[in-house]
Every structure is written in C-alpha cells, then in structure tokens.
Amino acid sequence: MDDNGQHNEDDTVDTDSSDDDAIGPIEESEFVEYGIEDKPPLAESIFLGFQHYLTMIGATVAIPLALAGALGMLEAAPEQVGRLIGTFFIVSGIATLGQTILGNRYPIVQGGTFSMLAPALAIIGVLGTQGADWQTMLLYLQGAVIVAGLTEIVIGYTGVMGWIKQHMGPVVIAPVIALIGLSLFNAPQIVDPNFSAPGTGQNWWLLGLTLALIILFSQYLDQYSRAFRLFPVLLGISAAWIIATVLSVGGVFSADSTSFVDLGSVLSASLIQPVYPFQWGVPRFELAFAIGMIAGMLASVIESFGDYHSVARMAGRGAPSPRRIDYGIGMEGIGNTLAGVMGTGNGSTSYTENVGAIGITGVASRYVVQIGAIVMIIVGYLGPVGQLFATIPAPIIGGLYIVMFGQIAAVGLSQLKYVDLDNNRNVFIIGFALFSGLAVPAYMSNIGQGVDAGASTVFQQGLSQVALIGPILGSDVIATTLFVIGSTGMAVGGIVAFFLDNTIDGTREERGLAEWEKITEDDSEFQSFLQRWRSSDDETTPTGAD
C-alpha cells in the first residue's frame, strides 16, 4: 500500500471480488487500510483479529464479572467465574461468525450487552429476596434471555426495523450514533475510582500512558511504520500491560489496587474448561422477568441500528438497506437465543467499540473479524488464556475507551454533512435529541442514589418512581420498559429525534433524505446467504444439466 492509502500490485491482499455482495455505494474513506472484502495474509489477520477483539475485552470481561458479583458466584463458586467468562467469549465468537456470514455481513463483532445487564440485576435482586442460589438465578436469566432473543428474531425477520429505516435520515441517525459514544463518557473504567477495589482510587498515570501510546502509534507514528498504522491498539495496550505486570510483581502495585495484574489467577486456572449448552441446567421461565429482558433487548436494537450505519460509514460504504438491517437484527436475535442456551445470563448485540476499532486501526475487513471470532472461540475453552484477559487493569481499559468513544461520537456527527444546518428545524431537533439522550438517562441513574443497596435495588427504586405516572403507564410491565429504555441514551435520543423529524415540517433536501437516498444501497444489492449459495450453485451447474 502506498503513502496515499492505495493498494499496490505487490501487496499480498486477497480482495476476492467474487465474495462481494455490493455492500452499498463506496464513499471516500482514505484511512481504511483493509476494506470489507479485503483478506490480509493469514498470520497478519490473526494479529489484527486479536487486536480487534482486544478493544472489546473491557465489556466482554466486565459484564460476566458484574453478573458473577451480583449472583454471589465470587463467594459461592469462584472456580466457575472463569467458566462464565469463557462462555461469553465462545458466544461472542459464534455470534460474530453468524452475523458476518449469515447476517448483515458487516465486519462487526457481537458480544454481551450492558442494555440487558440492568434488567438482569433486577431479576437477581428479586430472586435474592426469595433465597435463590446463584445457579437458580442463572437459570431464570437464561429463560428471560431466550424469550428476548426469540422476540428479536421476529422483529428482525418480519421487517419491522427495515420499515422504520425508511422513515429515518441523518437527522435521526447522527444523534443516535453520537450518543453511543457520548453516553459512555462515565464508564466505570474511566471515572469510577472504586471500579476494582473500593477506596484504592483510579490510576490516572496508567490510564494516561495507555491513552498516550495509542494516540502516538495511531496518529503520529503511523506514517513511519506499517506496524504502527495497523496495530496501534495492540502495541499500546501490550506496552502498558507489561509495565503494570512488572510493577505488580515488584510490589509497587498492591493486590487491592486497580492496576494490579494477578498472574496467580492465570496459573491456577484449569487448562480446559467445559462450556456447552444448558451447562448450568434447564432454563426457567417467568413472564415478568422476560418482559424486563425484552425491554433491554429493545434498547440494544436501537443501539445496533446506529452501529450498522456507523460501521458502514467508517468502512467507506453507503448506508445499509432496510433488508440488510432486518437480517442483522434477526441474526442478533439468534445470537441472543444462543447466549440464553449457553448460559451467559446476558444477551448478545453489536459491539459499539467495533466502530472505534475501525477508526483507530483502519481495518474494516470482514475476514479479519471472522479470524478473530475463531480465536475467541478457542480462547473460551482455554482457562488460563481467558483468565489472562481478565487481568488487564481497569485503567488500561479506561485509556482505550477514551480514544474509541470519542471516535464514535465524531462518526455520528459526521453524518450531519448531508443535512442543512442553516435550517433552524434541524439544529433544534439535533440539539434537543442530544440533550435528552444525556439528561434522561442521568435522571434515571440518579433515582435511588443515597440508598445503601446494590444496583438491583436501585433499579427497583427507579421502577417505583416511574410507576407514579399513572395506573396504566405505571404498571410493572410498562414501568420496566420505560425505565430500561429511559436509561439508554441512544434509545432516548433516537426516539426523540425520530418523532420530531417526522412531525415537524421540512423538505427532503433540508432533512438530508435526498442525499441519504443516493448513498443508501438498494434492497436488491444485499443477498442473503441462501441467495449467494444458490447463485454460486447455478454458476457451477453445466449447461443442460437438470
């Protein structure tokens, strides 16, 4: 590849145009090193795939650890925590392969979702008052996730989201994507001094070191070495991680520090850990629990809708067609159902971090993401490797998050280039949606503050506050849905922007819909896996054959 970002004839990249199903009209995207259809050499792809997943590791480890703490596994069954983390890895790998092969075919990683963590904590809180043990709680969580997954399958493959897409333009999509990044500014790995151990405080120099290294490699040194351009995240995190490990072994970081690297947990982990369907037992089903989990799933659907557009934008492709969105959401439903069957206690959705990873590394290859998914499946069964990931200090993850989440917010705002920003209508809608997407979740998170209780009790406090709005809207089902969606910034901002953009007068040109249509692929441009298989089969059938 030359200095202008163009592939030279000598570059060993297999673009395999026969596999290209025309993922939207191609836009300018000079920083992209590998496009969606590109296939880097296998060895390079393994490192690139590992790096891609490394940017998601914060959520992949944080969610099972949060669940394990709420379930009481850390005290009652500490030997099972690594197995739970491994289950998340395996589900993430399988769901990612499903999405990139059978779903929307974007280079987008699938994994656990914070949107479904809130209702999970509420379910745990209710069962905890009944004296249920961790395994019983996990079985009820599995049942709720399975129901939510099946519901999402229906939403996807019946075309609901594709229909909504026809009424959404950049005035709606821009604040949704921007809020994905902005709403994560207070991630615990960034601002919570008690994330790892109460009272130990955030290690700002380790966070700053990670941040500085990633910026140095990706923005300043990228023009001097291809390695810096392709592996800024892997190099930055590895360097900071090694330094933290040395200081931990040397006794500079104590065991209760947020920066401590516990190598002992790696050495004590089982070499092979069994992970299989229904490993904790037969799932149990409760309607009220399922409703709460469905509310979390709906919030994640809105987030994924924005993720699809932002990944397409980062990869230099046009906006996804309604049909591609439907297949993507439908496949996420299958991933959710798989998560319930395997026993994560949480769902599966598109990782927002994926957008930032593409922006930082310039790698948008579907092949690379698939290689990374295979690596994650293997890692899920290897106890020491999975436990090694869990030793990455929170400040290092925080430094990574600052870079990625800022990139995501900027990608959202870049969608506004199609909109007439001299029109007060558009400025009002965008500003109001952004503010609502930050203010309403902040209010929801403040409900119950000062109560000496866990997150599940705070969640119940929130429901009681929402229930004050009336006998119908205040019912348990509606209150649960309102609270979960109201706690999700991109859901609030998206709903507000969608309503205003479709009710306040404005021409298609002012709203950016005319330009939007030009860069949006037609439904006919997206071929499902079955269609591609039939097409390739027809091409190989000899003339005159039956």
Side-chain angles (χ1 to χ4, degrees):
M1 179 170 287
D2 61 25
D3 293 336
N4 295 320
Q6 302 297 320
H7 289 293
N8 294 325
E9 292 181 0
D10 295 335
D11 287 339
T12 56
V13 178
D14 179 11
T15 56
D16 193 10
S17 59
S18 64
D19 189 45
D20 189 352
D21 61 341
I23 301 185
I26 299 178
E27 294 186 283
E28 71 284 349
S29 192
E30 297 178 355
F31 71 91
V32 173
E33 183 84 11
Y34 289 122
I36 291 180
E37 304 300 332
D38 291 343
K39 292 184 178 181
L42 180 59
E44 186 175 296
S45 293
I46 292 175
F47 283 103
L48 290 173
F50 175 76
Q51 173 181 248
H52 210 81
Y53 265 89
L54 194 60
T55 64
M56 327 286 165
I57 206 66
T60 307
V61 173
I63 292 177
L65 286 179
L67 281 174
L71 289 166
M73 289 180 67
L74 297 176
E75 298 80 15
E79 72 282 356
Q80 299 292 349
V81 176
R83 184 177 174 187
L84 182 64
I85 294 175
T87 303
F88 269 78
F89 286 169
I90 292 169
V91 170
S92 174
I94 296 175
T96 299
L97 289 177
Q99 187 67 274
T100 55
I101 297 174
L102 305 176
N104 57 31
R105 305 195 72 232
Y106 280 151
I108 189 165
V109 176
Q110 308 291 291
T113 167
F114 285 102
S115 297
M116 296 174 74
L117 181 59
L121 293 176
I123 292 171
I124 292 171
V126 172
L127 293 172
T129 61
Q130 300 173 2
D133 58 18
W134 69 268
Q135 194 164 353
T136 300
M137 295 178 186
L138 199 48
L139 294 178
Y140 275 108
L141 288 179
Q142 285 184 246
V145 171
I146 289 173
V147 173
L150 294 175
T151 303
E152 189 172 14
I153 291 174
V154 173
I155 291 175
Y157 291 118
T158 56
V160 173
M161 291 305 297
W163 176 83
I164 293 177
K165 154 75 176 176
Q166 300 174 29
H167 302 275
M168 297 181 74
V171 174
V172 180
I173 296 299
V176 168
I177 299 175
L179 282 166
I180 291 173
L182 294 176
S183 62
L184 295 170
F185 78 93
N186 60 348
Q189 293 93 336
I190 300 175
V191 301
D192 188 354
N194 301 320
F195 176 75
S196 291
T200 58
Q202 175 65 283
N203 189 333
W204 291 109
W205 78 260
L206 184 57
L207 182 150
L209 174 64
T210 306
L211 178 62
L213 287 173
I214 294 176
I215 294 175
L216 178 67
F217 292 138
S218 66
Q219 303 300 322
Y220 292 99
L221 301 180
D222 59 313
Q223 58 183 317
Y224 299 108
S225 172
R226 191 165 182 266
F228 294 148
R229 187 166 62 246
L230 287 178
F231 302 102
V233 174
L234 184 61
L235 293 173
I237 289 182
S238 297
W241 196 3
I242 291 172
I243 292 173
T245 301
V246 172
L247 293 177
S248 297
V249 174
V252 177
F253 293 152
S254 60
D256 60 350
S257 168
T258 58
S259 308
F260 184 73
V261 177
D262 184 12
L263 294 179
S265 63
V266 179
L267 299 175
S268 62
S270 300
L271 180 60
I272 303 295
Q273 54 189 9
V275 177
Y276 50 88
F278 307 119
Q279 57 187 322
W280 314 113
V282 179
R284 301 184 183 182
F285 300 89
E286 178 70 37
L287 179 60
F289 296 162
I291 293 296
M293 200 63 75
I294 288 174
M297 175 271 294
L298 292 175
S300 75
V301 165
I302 297 175
E303 181 178 354
S304 294
F305 188 90
D307 286 338
Y308 296 170
H309 285 79
S310 54
V311 165
R313 173 86 175 131
M314 293 298 286
R317 297 288 184 159
S321 67
R323 191 161 182 261
R324 190 182 296 275
I325 291 173
D326 288 335
Y327 270 78
I329 297 301
M331 184 52 62
E332 287 196 18
I334 294 176
N336 262 328
T337 306
L338 173 67
V341 170
M342 296 298 290
T344 63
N346 187 259
S348 177
T349 190
S350 294
Y351 268 142
T352 298
E353 292 89 338
N354 200 95
V355 183
I358 294 175
I360 296 171
T361 66
V363 178
S365 166
R366 181 197 302 122
Y367 178 72
V368 165
V369 171
Q370 290 170 342
I371 293 295
I374 295 173
V375 171
M376 288 298 283
I377 294 173
I378 296 173
V379 164
Y381 285 104
L382 300 177
V385 180
Q387 192 60 41
L388 181 63
F389 279 126
T391 67
I392 301 178
I396 293 180
I397 299 298
L400 171 65
Y401 278 1
I402 291 175
V403 178
M404 291 196 307
F405 294 158
Q407 182 92 24
I408 294 166
V411 169
L413 296 177
S414 70
Q415 303 283 342
L416 296 178
K417 74 174 188 176
Y418 304 108
V419 177
D420 181 6
L421 292 179
D422 291 327
N423 186 290
N424 183 64
R425 167 200 185 275
N426 294 335
V427 174
F428 170 78
I429 294 174
I430 294 166
F432 187 65
L434 286 171
F435 190 85
S436 299
L438 294 173
V440 174
Y443 168 75
M444 293 294 185
S445 66
N446 286 332
I447 293 176
Q449 274 194 356
V451 178
D452 185 14
S456 58
T457 301
V458 173
F459 184 89
Q460 293 296 328
Q461 289 282 336
L463 291 185
S464 67
Q465 292 292 322
V466 175
L468 296 177
I469 60 181
I472 297 178
L473 294 179
S475 65
D476 288 342
V477 172
I478 302 299
T480 298
T481 303
L482 287 176
F483 185 78
V484 173
I485 293 180
S487 300
T488 308
M490 64 288 301
V492 174
I495 292 171
V496 168
F498 180 82
F499 174 78
L500 295 178
D501 191 41
N502 284 280
T503 55
I504 299 177
D505 287 338
T507 65
R508 296 186 62 81
E509 287 72 21
E510 291 171 342
R511 297 168 62 189
L513 292 176
E515 287 295 320
W516 192 258
E517 288 178 356
K518 294 179 182 178
I519 66 165
T520 300
E521 62 180 356
D522 294 327
D523 273 341
S524 59
E525 294 181 59
F526 173 72
Q527 288 187 321
S528 67
F529 176 80
L530 182 60
Q531 288 176 315
R532 295 195 306 276
W533 181 77
R534 287 176 174 174
S535 176
S536 62
D537 187 57
D538 290 341
E539 291 176 359
T540 56
T541 301
T543 304
D546 291 335

